[in-house]
Amino acid sequence: MSFPLLTATAVLPAVGAIATAAVPAARRTAAKWLALVVSLATLALAAVIAFRFEPGGARYQFTESHAWIKAFGVRYELGVDGIAVALIALTALLIPFVILAGWHDADPLETGSRRWRPTQGFFALILAVEAMVLISFEATDVFVFYIFFEAMLIPMYFLIGGFGDRAHEHGEDAASTQRSYAAVKFLLYNLVGGLIMLAAVIGLYVQAGTFSLPEIVQARANGSLPMATGTERWLFLGFFFAFAVKAPLWPLHTWLPNAMGEATAPVAVLITAVVDKVGTFAMLRFCLQLFPEASKWATPVILVLALISIIYGALLAVGQRDIKRLVAYASISHFGFIIMGIFAMTSQGQSGATLYMVNHGISTAALMLVAGFLISRRGSRLIADYGGVQKVAPVLAGTFLIGGLATLSLPGLAPFVSEFLVLVGTFTRHPAIGIIATFGIVLAALYTLVLYQRTMTGPVKPQVAEMPDLRVRELLVVVPLIALLIFLGVYPKPVADIVNPAVKQTMSDVHQTDPKPEVEAAK
């Protein structure tokens, strides 16, 4: 293509962020509408990429390559495979819902508050994050990827620390302190991971003489780029550590509950449904393709860490008193499934992991945004402050239930397909890990149904007796997400058809084939 479609998809929200930030403070409604229109235009470009992508065609499509920093061999190289296309579509789809859901989250605070919240800044930062995430999915130059992998931390830091959740049981001062702590913890954890990755990126360049992912993968495949075993393993660990922090994988996960708990619900969705997917995506694109032997060497340990994430995250979700922190720990458990699927080294596991990234993004967005609408009405994140909501706000309760059922991977909803594939793909090569991981499903049912029971059923508490049901704007956010959960739960083929060829190529990169069935099919 002569038109730089990938660049346009990332540049549009970046320019939109600048334009939104430039809107005068007195016209904050105009800033909201501008951000929404830009996000919808970006979604339209992402749809063009998805529809024009040829699953059976070249591995990387819509490629762009231009010299950038010649002295260091850095090129502005972009290209997408099926996995990247699916995640670009997810990101572009969720951002308009994030903006709509956060329509009033950055409105000026009540008179006398010491905090000033620039409305246009809130929406500009969301668009900036979108631009950086999109180009991270598109970059095929390792150095370009690294720059935006790190740069997205800056707007996220301000979204968490400057526009945090107003609902806090100990007042505004305590809320401000907690927001600052969560933002700094998020930044420090990810910066440390990024610095370690930078050392590995430099080491990779010393070995390969280029940052181009396709060139390095091709050279490794044809034997023209031999790499000592110890060198490959150290480089792999440098990359994987950064991605495990971003994902997040136990024991590098502790920043996520703080960040999601103190952020507004839309920003929490941005963290776990969009930004964190860059970590798991990068494991597939960079760890497995660049370091195939080291990936197989590290697989047993990574599978154990993923299994711990699944069980540990689910157990902590069961005991949570805070709605948003419960969803955060549930996400840690789900990311454990995703990473387990990636390193199961089977086509079913990796296809399931990629589908899980998409489906988890949609299901978590649905649940967290409805939870945000609930919290905004009551002004509390504590589960104990709710009860009987389904009697006064049945639509809110119903959508909350569907989001929760999707989180526990109920058959007929999108996450079930991906979780089933991950477990099957893991069991065929690592049966013990697959069996233990199924207990995560039982725990998911426990924390989801207990959450619904305590908040939505039972006697109506006085504080929720006058709670209004979902409004039109909120329905515009929730209904499409629920429709997608049902559609992809019944018919996942459109996404699977895009993803599967890329998964087969990744399996080829790591020289793996699916285990043969022990019992042959009847003839």
Side-chain angles (χ1 to χ4, degrees):
M1 290 182 62
S2 58
F3 180 73
L5 187 57
L6 297 184
T7 294
T9 306
V11 166
L12 181 58
V15 173
I18 297 171
T20 302
V23 174
R27 304 193 64 184
R28 58 179 177 271
T29 301
K32 298 176 183 179
W33 281 105
L34 176 60
L36 180 60
V37 169
V38 169
S39 68
L40 291 172
T42 305
L43 175 59
L45 287 177
V48 172
I49 292 173
F51 283 112
R52 297 191 63 172
F53 182 80
E54 299 177 5
R59 179 170 194 168
Y60 294 109
Q61 300 180 31
F62 311 106
T63 55
E64 303 172 33
S65 181
H66 308 283
W68 186 17
I69 308 175
K70 293 184 179 180
F72 297 101
V74 179
R75 297 184 63 83
Y76 176 76
E77 283 191 353
L78 306 181
V80 291
D81 59 4
I83 298 170
V85 168
L87 293 174
I88 287 170
L90 171 70
T91 301
L93 174 71
L94 290 181
I95 296 300
F97 296 125
V98 167
I99 291 172
L100 269 177
W103 201 253
H104 298 299
D105 285 359
D107 286 351
L109 295 174
E110 62 277 3
T111 304
S113 172
R114 297 193 298 274
R115 297 181 61 240
W116 176 62
R117 300 163 71 97
T119 301
Q120 67 275 32
F122 177 75
F123 294 99
L125 290 170
I126 291 174
L127 291 177
V129 172
E130 179 182 24
M132 293 174 187
V133 169
L134 288 175
I135 205 164
S136 297
F137 290 141
E138 297 167 353
T140 54
D141 183 281
V142 178
F143 192 78
V144 172
F145 170 83
Y146 172 77
I147 289 174
F148 291 98
F149 179 81
E150 287 291 275
M152 70 179 70
L153 301 179
I154 299 170
M156 285 306 309
Y157 169 81
F158 287 108
L159 282 170
I160 297 169
F163 298 92
D165 196 349
R166 302 179 189 182
H168 199 288
E169 63 269 28
H170 299 302
E172 184 177 319
D173 290 337
S176 180
T177 301
Q178 290 297 320
R179 281 191 294 269
S180 298
Y181 172 78
V184 170
K185 189 173 184 179
F186 162 82
L187 188 64
L188 289 178
Y189 267 65
N190 284 275
L191 277 178
V192 169
L195 289 173
I196 293 174
M197 179 184 170
L198 177 59
V201 168
I202 295 170
L204 179 66
Y205 178 75
V206 170
Q207 290 287 314
T210 179
F211 290 109
S212 174
L213 174 68
E215 291 181 11
I216 298 173
V217 171
Q218 180 61 35
R220 300 224 62 196
N222 61 28
S224 61
L225 180 58
M227 194 177 294
T229 300
T231 301
E232 180 176 349
R233 290 178 179 179
W234 279 112
L235 293 178
F236 168 85
L237 290 174
F239 277 77
F240 181 80
F241 183 86
F243 304 151
V245 172
K246 184 82 79 178
L249 178 68
W250 184 93
L252 306 172
H253 67 285
T254 58
W255 63 267
L256 183 66
N258 296 103
M260 288 184 65
E262 299 306 323
T264 63
V267 173
V269 169
L270 198 61
I271 294 169
T272 190
V274 177
V275 172
D276 288 354
K277 297 301 187 298
V278 178
T280 47
F281 163 79
M283 291 178 188
L284 278 166
R285 170 165 281 194
F286 296 103
C287 286
L288 268 60
Q289 293 185 35
L290 291 173
F291 315 110
E293 297 306 318
S295 296
K296 289 186 284 187
W297 162 75
T299 287
V301 174
I302 294 173
L303 287 177
V304 170
L305 294 178
L307 183 61
I308 293 173
S309 289
I310 292 169
I311 305 301
Y312 173 84
L315 284 173
L316 264 64
V318 171
Q320 288 304 304
R321 298 168 52 246
D322 184 312
I323 297 174
K324 291 166 68 177
R325 289 178 70 91
L326 185 152
V327 178
Y329 280 110
S331 290
I332 292 170
S333 181
H334 296 147
F335 274 104
F337 277 109
I338 293 170
I339 295 170
M340 185 176 74
I342 292 171
F343 285 91
M345 299 296 181
T346 61
S347 58
Q348 300 100 324
Q350 292 185 2
S351 293
T354 306
L355 287 172
Y356 214 140
M357 293 185 220
V358 175
N359 295 334
H360 171 264
I362 299 170
S363 63
T364 299
L367 180 61
M368 179 60 85
L369 293 179
V370 176
F373 298 148
L374 178 70
I375 292 167
S376 67
R377 284 158 165 75
R378 172 67 178 83
S380 173
R381 307 190 320 235
L382 298 180
I383 297 172
D385 288 340
Y386 297 88
V389 173
Q390 67 180 11
K391 296 178 182 177
V392 297
V395 177
L396 188 155
T399 53
F400 189 83
L401 177 61
I402 296 174
L405 293 176
T407 298
L408 63 83
S409 299
L410 184 76
L413 297 175
F416 169 76
V417 179
S418 44
E419 194 166 283
F420 178 79
L421 284 173
V422 165
L423 289 171
V424 169
T426 303
F427 182 82
T428 56
R429 199 180 290 277
H430 307 280
I433 297 289
I435 291 171
I436 298 172
T438 57
F439 286 98
I441 302 175
V442 178
L443 294 172
L446 179 61
Y447 63 68
T448 300
L449 296 178
V450 169
L451 172 65
Y452 183 83
Q453 180 188 38
R454 292 178 178 175
T455 55
M456 302 296 165
T457 65
V460 179
K461 291 198 173 183
Q463 297 89 343
V464 302
E466 303 298 325
M467 180 178 289
D469 214 333
L470 292 182
R471 304 178 179 91
V472 173
R473 172 181 61 85
E474 295 165 336
L475 288 171
L476 289 175
V477 172
V478 176
V479 171
L481 293 174
I482 290 176
L484 270 174
L485 287 174
I486 296 171
F487 175 76
L488 293 177
V490 176
Y491 190 65
K493 188 174 184 294
V495 181
D497 285 347
I498 292 176
V499 164
N500 287 340
V503 167
K504 290 181 180 178
Q505 290 172 323
T506 303
M507 288 283 292
S508 176
D509 291 333
V510 292
H511 314 296
Q512 292 280 17
T513 57
D514 289 327
K516 293 182 179 180
E518 294 183 6
V519 179
E520 294 184 3
K523 295 181 180 180

